[in-house]
Amino acid sequence: MLKTAYKDDAMGKTQVFEWFSRFKNGEMSIDDKPRSGHPSTARTHENVEKIREIIKEDRRRTIEEIVELSGVMWSSVQRILTEDLGMKRVAAKFVPRLLTAEQKQGRVEACCALKEESRNDQNFFSKIITGDETWCYAYDPESKQQSSQWKTSSSPRPKKARQVKSNMKTMLICFFDVRGVVHSEFVPQGQTVNQAFYLEVLKRLRNSLRRKRPDLWQSGDWFFHHDNAPAHTALSVRQFLTKNGMTPVPHPPYSPDLAPCHFFLFPRMKRDMKGKRFADVAEVKEKTMEALSSISKDEFRQCFEKWNKRLDKCISVSGEYFEGD
């Protein structure tokens, strides 16, 4: 009858029989019966505050160390940390640099400047050509995500040996915009990317721009973006940019999370190459170009949309490094 009337909200059959037996025997109280033992006194307000102060002094302390310093039992310390203080232990995140207050402010100012440009010109990001250099390896170990695989509860956990990047490598320089790659080339073996070599690269970039983006070349209404590597910020390079009307887009130091090459192009390009072995530098170059050409126009467009969102994130966290997209 209870099941018919209350459906899933009704008590189970076993519970109904148990309560019926109690009431039949004259036990009309519905309160819990007293249990043996004494109430826990470890999770008091004083102990919670004591452990909070211990953690504030050194957040790397283990539960065993906190037990020794506080005199509270291990299980109680663990529950105070997780339930009362709402904490969990996490590994430190690697970041390019521990930023100073001035560097964080510089990141915010650069982001605000780009946001202001985009508000004044809705097509601003479609006029930017950005680029950088990266190493391409004959063997680059696959990522943790790539090596993951499905398993049942009874099957053993997959294993893999620790691998390192190969010594055989070549450096790629690539520039792209919202429509795709504008110019790419490999640095000759033994050549250092200094200001003299980078100037020659910029000249070849301009030739590629004239052929592949004639609309931007003729209008001159485009912007140039690269990071703050020494070769990029040399006086001769800055003079070349000014002389040839290549208006630079501001980029704050130590900010790969705000550089499209680093948060999109290079990870996307190398995704198809990780975990594969190539015989020589010539094959590395061939596979790199294949990976570049496999990136769709839609992905390039989405990259610049993500860039715009990353600017907002950087501003919202006051210049700190931020997580994900």
Side-chain angles (χ1 to χ4, degrees), residues 99-221:
L99 298 170
T100 65
E102 292 77 14
Q103 289 165 346
K104 294 175 188 176
Q105 182 60 30
R107 282 164 55 86
V108 171
E109 291 173 356
C111 291
C112 289
L114 291 179
K115 293 296 294 184
E116 181 65 24
E117 291 284 354
S118 66
R119 281 191 289 268
N120 295 333
D121 183 358
Q122 293 184 348
N123 298 318
F124 173 68
F125 283 98
S126 65
K127 300 176 182 178
I128 297 177
I129 294 176
T130 180
D132 204 354
E133 310 92 31
T134 187
W135 285 109
C136 302
Y137 295 87
Y139 178 76
D140 195 356
E142 62 185 2
S143 65
K144 183 182 294 186
Q145 182 179 10
Q146 287 175 311
S147 63
S148 63
Q149 54 184 274
W150 294 104
K151 64 179 288 294
T152 64
S153 58
S154 59
S155 60
R157 183 173 181 175
K159 299 180 178 65
K160 68 174 184 178
R162 186 179 297 277
Q163 301 285 346
V164 296
K165 297 177 181 179
S166 66
N167 291 326
M168 188 187 302
K169 59 186 179 180
T170 184
M171 179 172 283
L172 171 74
I173 300 181
C174 187
F175 298 91
F176 68 98
D177 65 359
V178 71
R179 289 179 272 182
V181 175
V182 177
H183 177 74
S184 64
E185 64 177 83
F186 291 97
V187 179
Q189 295 297 114
Q191 171 66 55
T192 303
V193 181
N194 51 32
Q195 57 180 301
F197 178 77
Y198 192 61
L199 281 173
E200 296 303 316
V201 172
L202 293 180
K203 292 175 183 177
R204 291 189 284 272
L205 167 63
R206 286 175 54 79
N207 291 332
S208 297
L209 177 70
R210 184 171 62 249
R211 288 184 290 104
K212 295 183 179 181
R213 303 289 187 269
D215 54 328
L216 297 181
W217 177 264
Q218 292 174 5
S219 67
D221 186 18

